[in-house]
Amino acid sequence: MIILTKEDIKKCFNMEEAIEAAKKSLAIYTDNKAIVPLRNNIRIEKSNGNILYMPASTVSDVESSGIKIVSVYPDNIKENLPAVPATMILVDSNTGIVSAVLDGTYLTQLRTGAVQGAATDILANKDAQTGALIGTGGQAYQQAIAMLTVRKLKKLKVFSLDNNKAQEFVTNLQKDIEGTFDTKIELAISAEECVKDADIITTVTTSKVPTFKDEFVKQGAHVNGVGAFTEDMLEMPVETIARANKIFFDTTDGVMAEAGDILSAIKQNLITIDEQNVELGNVILGTTVGRESNEEITLFKTVGTAVLDVVTAQLIFEKAKQLGIGTEIKL
């Protein structure tokens, strides 16, 4: 069994590889080559916590099986501990023996950024020059890296309700990308300033109200809704969802069960969903058309799926073994 820390993963697997892994994951899911049981949620009342178990297995050219354990313990911050720690356990599909344990927190950040990067790469205009990122929480950094990886943006505008946190995020990101990307990272003082004239808009928050107004979304923009993952969360304005020419999901089942902004638009009869063709995996497989003109507004909604975890973890594990990275443990 190999133990792979965050630093181990960073040494052997970059965002470009993660985006390709995300595309492969979505295609596998849509092609019905994955087994994804419902995640189990155990509530620990005395500690104000929840422990979620997310299993999955694939039977495609990437054979992967495993389970991610994600805990949500808001009070951990009082003890200077992560509020949402996670661990990924990878199981050999042929023997049933655990082959690797990975830092699930970083894996989640990487694959969540990567699935947005996959959608942006497939759906955004090729000449996109300006990006907008709303939210500077734990998932935001890899969301920014994913956008910069798939498009040569001249400018990425960042907005958060916490201006000090946003400024720190902008400063750190600009420093980190020096020598890798030529993009200028700018602090936006309002959501309007952030979204206006943006070719790519990514919102990654837990907001229960829209994080931007539809009137500032230009024709031809691509919009990613990443943060809202419960029925009561709502990041994207329903007007933008209704105005979108093309709407795609990571998984139909997940979005239709959990995505508050999409569900709100459906309940208001603003959109109807073609469940046979709405998954981005259909575009990857070539059974559905993506963007067809520079003026179309395209929209992608993700709530996450364990397939992204097991496929990405398997590919990381294989690369780490090839490079001799990680700590081997014999039980």
Side-chain angles (χ1 to χ4, degrees):
M1 179 172 67
I2 293 178
I3 307 298
L4 294 169
T5 65
K6 174 181 177 178
E7 291 307 314
D8 291 332
I9 297 171
K10 289 172 73 173
K11 286 177 186 176
C12 69
F13 212 75
N14 60 30
M15 178 56 77
E16 188 173 352
E17 292 170 303
I19 288 169
E20 292 307 308
K23 291 177 182 178
K24 188 175 288 290
S25 301
L26 296 182
I28 287 170
Y29 183 91
T30 297
D31 206 23
N32 294 315
K33 293 181 178 178
I35 301 168
V36 192
L38 291 174
R39 65 185 180 191
N40 288 320
N41 184 355
I42 297 178
R43 174 67 179 168
I44 311 297
E45 289 288 352
K46 72 179 183 67
S47 302
N48 186 31
N50 291 74
I51 305 174
L52 291 83
Y53 298 87
M54 300 172 60
S57 180
T58 64
V59 290
S60 70
D61 56 324
V62 179
E63 282 196 357
S64 58
S65 298
I67 185 167
K68 188 170 75 173
I69 304 170
V70 185
S71 300
V72 183
Y73 276 63
D75 297 337
N76 274 4
I77 56 175
K78 299 175 185 176
E79 305 297 328
N80 200 29
L81 294 170
V84 189
T87 301
M88 182 71 208
I89 300 172
L90 200 61
V91 179
D92 188 307
S93 294
N94 295 312
T95 66
I97 297 172
V98 173
S99 54
V101 177
L102 297 83
D103 181 326
T105 306
Y106 181 67
L107 174 67
T108 301
Q109 293 169 353
L110 184 64
R111 64 84 155 158
T112 305
V115 75
Q116 174 266 115
T120 300
D121 190 29
I122 293 166
L123 299 172
N125 277 314
K126 300 301 181 185
D127 61 351
Q129 296 186 349
T130 302
L133 177 65
I134 299 177
T136 54
Q139 298 294 331
Y141 186 90
Q142 295 300 333
Q143 295 294 323
I145 297 298
M147 282 194 281
L148 301 183
T149 299
V150 298
R151 291 294 183 272
K152 293 183 179 180
L153 299 178
K154 291 184 177 179
K155 178 167 57 178
L156 175 64
K157 297 180 287 184
V158 178
F159 173 72
S160 171
L161 293 176
D162 186 332
N163 191 67
N164 291 332
K165 187 176 180 181
Q167 181 61 73
E168 182 181 4
F169 181 92
V170 167
T171 301
N172 291 338
L173 180 60
Q174 188 73 75
K175 181 180 178 181
D176 290 349
I177 68 170
E178 187 176 347
T180 305
F181 302 107
D182 295 327
T183 310
K184 182 179 180 182
I185 312 300
E186 294 185 356
L187 177 67
I189 61 172
S190 67
E192 174 186 350
E193 180 186 321
C194 188
V195 170
K196 191 174 182 181
D197 298 324
D199 300 301
I200 303 165
I201 301 166
T202 296
T203 175
V204 55
T205 75
T206 55
S207 178
K208 295 184 179 181
V209 296
T211 58
F212 59 92
K213 292 182 179 180
D214 174 63
E215 62 189 281
F216 303 122
V217 178
K218 74 174 190 178
Q219 286 299 131
H222 171 65
V223 182
N224 297 298
V226 180
F229 56 89
T230 65
E231 290 187 54
D232 64 339
M233 292 181 184
L234 199 157
E235 285 191 296
M236 299 181 291
V238 292
E239 296 86 356
T240 299
I241 297 171
R243 193 155 63 94
N245 300 96
K246 301 282 176 58
I247 297 175
F248 293 101
F249 303 157
D250 57 351
T251 68
T252 305
D253 289 345
V255 171
M256 295 297 281
E258 299 176 342
D261 32 26
I262 297 295
L263 293 173
S264 180
I266 293 173
K267 288 175 183 176
Q268 295 179 50
N269 295 316
L270 296 174
I271 60 170
T272 56
I273 297 300
D274 177 2
E275 295 192 9
Q276 298 300 314
N277 297 298
V278 74
E279 289 179 353
L280 189 63
N282 285 302
V283 182
I284 298 167
L285 291 168
T287 57
T288 297
V289 177
R291 175 180 290 276
E292 294 183 274
S293 79
N294 290 341
E295 295 304 309
E296 283 188 327
I297 292 176
T298 54
L299 187 145
F300 175 68
K301 178 61 195 173
T302 174
V303 294
T305 170
V307 176
L308 289 164
D309 294 307
V310 296
V311 170
T312 306
Q314 180 67 32
L315 294 173
I316 291 170
F317 167 67
E318 292 173 3
K319 184 82 176 290
K321 277 186 64 178
Q322 178 186 341
L323 297 175
I325 292 173
T327 303
E328 186 173 341
I329 295 178
K330 294 182 179 180
L331 298 178

